[in-house]
Amino acid sequence: MQTLGTVGSVWGDRFRVEELVGHGGMGHICRARDLTTGVQVALKLLPIARRREAEVRFLREAELLCRLQHPGIVQYLAHGTTAQGEHFLAMEWLEGEDLATRLRHTPLSVQETIALVDRTADALAYLHEHDIVHRDIKPSNLYLPSRQPGLVKLIDLGIAQATAAAHRLTHSGVVIGTPEYLSPEQAHGNRILTSTSDLFSLGCVMYECLAGQPPFAADHLMAVLARVLFEDPPSLETVRPGLPAGIIQIVEKLLAKSPGQRFQSAHRLRVAIAELGPVSTLIAAPQTPLTPPPPPLFGHDEQSLICVVLATQRIGPGDAAERAPESPHALPTDDRDALDRALTGLGIAAHFLASGDLLATVSQSESATDLAKRAAR
């Protein structure tokens, strides 16, 4: 059995490892040489001792990539399994850096941001035409060959969802994706996602490129999900004065809470970008890191009270066994609907999360005491 990442080891009788360049939860990444063509390739390796979920995601990425060919998506070369059961996936070697790395040391200009979003939208349009939702659009999954945003490529389709196979590839009760870039429907744990979910995540990326910070960043997972579900990010007019109104409108539409209020396809997003016309080169780049804006002020004499409640119903092993496999929630559907109606009648905004937890916000009370009573009820 060959050791993962060992220099000189050959995989699939074709790819010889030259250097181990990274490793993580989904295996090792190596720079290798294709012995049939002589070119460098990126070789992703998955050891045997991995959870079944990691193996499923690894094979899903390989199966999806092998039938995709687009300049904005990393190019597939080959994949296979060794006699010992170790998996490998060979892709084109990209020289450059991912967007997350770029944003840590150098901000993008407005022109670079527009070019990056347009090319990403083109790649997403291709994916969506093939009934695939990426589900994890974020800066670290956007690679900049030669450090050029206009050449960006989508990478890592490990949690991409082929709509026809969603029922067998998606596990309920798990938040799939990266919290700061989740769409509200992902935060809810919806099993079937549409193309507009990817567009919301792309809106988060576009906002970060323009503002210098993610739109829904927080210190805790639940705080991030609460912001995704209930809050609008600070206005770009405030955090980045001077941006053209058309760009701000595009971002706001991408970040609409309701999928129906967003662009209904990546093609429509590209049309809106094309309609912007030339963008001034005189717009200053955002500060990096950008100082978070202060919370909005209501007025010198006005106060606003709000209470956030996170409720979890714990269940025993026997109860879990009786639950339907497609439902992550401890409460039966009828009971959840009844609870939702009761909360709505009390003026409480409530959302069930992917984990089955209930996240509710209580406001519009004249005193903190009344607010606490309503929250407790």
Side-chain angles (χ1 to χ4, degrees):
M1 180 183 298
Q2 55 195 346
T3 303
L4 286 185
T6 300
V7 174
S9 60
V10 178
W11 295 77
D13 298 323
R14 177 178 173 182
F15 305 105
R16 184 176 60 214
V17 174
E18 295 184 340
E19 179 186 8
L20 175 65
V21 296
H23 55 83
M26 285 296 290
H28 295 21
I29 298 292
C30 302
R31 178 171 54 82
R33 183 74 57 180
D34 186 344
L35 299 178
T36 63
T37 63
V39 302
Q40 287 185 339
V41 302
L43 193 64
K44 182 183 287 190
L45 309 174
L46 185 72
I48 297 176
R50 290 292 183 186
R51 292 179 295 123
R52 174 61 181 166
E53 181 183 354
E55 183 180 29
V56 169
R57 291 185 178 184
F58 190 95
L59 294 177
R60 180 194 311 170
E61 179 176 23
E63 291 167 359
L64 290 178
L65 279 178
C66 74
R67 57 189 178 93
L68 299 174
Q69 188 169 2
H70 186 277
I73 301 173
V74 63
Q75 183 181 358
Y76 164 93
L77 296 175
H79 75 281
T81 306
T82 67
Q84 293 76 29
E86 296 168 314
H87 302 292
F88 68 90
L89 169 61
M91 299 166 285
E92 65 175 318
W93 177 260
L94 299 175
E95 199 70 54
E97 62 187 358
D98 62 45
L99 179 61
T101 301
R102 169 65 179 271
L103 293 177
R104 282 196 293 269
H105 61 76
T106 307
L108 297 189
S109 68
V110 174
Q111 294 78 13
E112 288 175 324
T113 299
I114 295 299
L116 178 139
V117 172
D118 183 59
R119 182 172 166 100
T120 304
D122 189 30
L124 286 177
Y126 177 82
L127 281 182
H128 298 159
E129 287 170 356
H130 286 75
D131 296 322
I132 297 170
V133 180
H134 188 281
R135 299 204 298 175
D136 201 19
I137 299 297
K138 59 182 179 180
S140 60
N141 282 342
L142 298 173
Y143 200 89
L144 314 181
S146 304
R147 297 180 171 82
Q148 298 298 313
L151 301 178
V152 62
K153 286 179 178 278
L154 276 177
I155 62 174
D156 196 348
L157 272 69
I159 66 171
Q161 178 189 74
T163 304
H167 66 281
R168 62 181 176 85
L169 293 178
T170 303
H171 297 281
S172 294
V174 179
V175 176
I176 300 295
T178 304
E180 289 84 353
Y181 306 94
L182 289 179
S183 66
E185 51 270 34
Q186 283 178 288
H188 279 300
N190 289 6
R191 292 172 61 81
I192 305 298
L193 300 174
T194 68
S195 60
T196 59
S197 179
D198 279 345
L199 295 182
F200 183 95
S201 300
L202 181 56
C204 293
V205 172
M206 186 175 183
Y207 182 101
E208 183 173 356
C209 291
L210 295 170
Q213 60 185 11
F216 303 108
D219 294 331
H220 189 275
L221 170 62
M222 287 302 174
V224 173
L225 295 180
R227 295 196 67 188
V228 169
L229 290 170
F230 297 115
E231 292 186 16
D232 292 323
S235 171
L236 282 174
E237 292 179 303
T238 302
V239 298
R240 189 75 186 279
L243 281 177
I247 292 178
I248 295 175
Q249 290 168 3
I250 287 175
V251 176
E252 290 177 344
K253 189 164 186 175
L254 286 170
L255 295 181
K257 301 297 186 189
S258 170
Q261 295 177 345
R262 301 174 203 150
F263 293 101
Q264 293 304 290
S265 72
H267 284 302
R268 293 187 182 181
L269 169 59
R270 298 196 70 205
V271 169
I273 290 174
E275 291 175 347
L276 290 173
V279 177
S280 172
T281 59
L282 301 179
I283 303 173
Q287 303 173 33
T288 303
L290 188 69
T291 303
L297 300 177
F298 293 93
H300 296 295
D301 301 318
E302 184 179 357
Q303 293 181 332
S304 178
L305 299 172
I306 187 170
C307 181
V308 178
V309 178
L310 176 65
T312 301
Q313 180 176 345
R314 298 301 179 188
I315 61 173
D319 295 326
E322 295 175 0
R323 280 163 48 192
E326 70 275 4
S327 174
H329 305 292
L331 291 178
T333 301
D334 291 345
D335 291 345
R336 286 184 57 207
D337 292 342
L339 176 58
D340 186 58
R341 288 193 298 270
L343 292 172
T344 301
L346 292 171
I348 296 173
H351 294 268
F352 281 96
L353 303 180
S355 60
D357 296 339
L358 176 67
L359 186 66
T361 57
V362 190
S363 58
Q364 299 177 348
S365 289
E366 295 181 358
S367 70
T369 302
D370 290 340
L371 190 71
K373 286 180 179 178
R374 291 178 60 210
R377 181 179 176 184

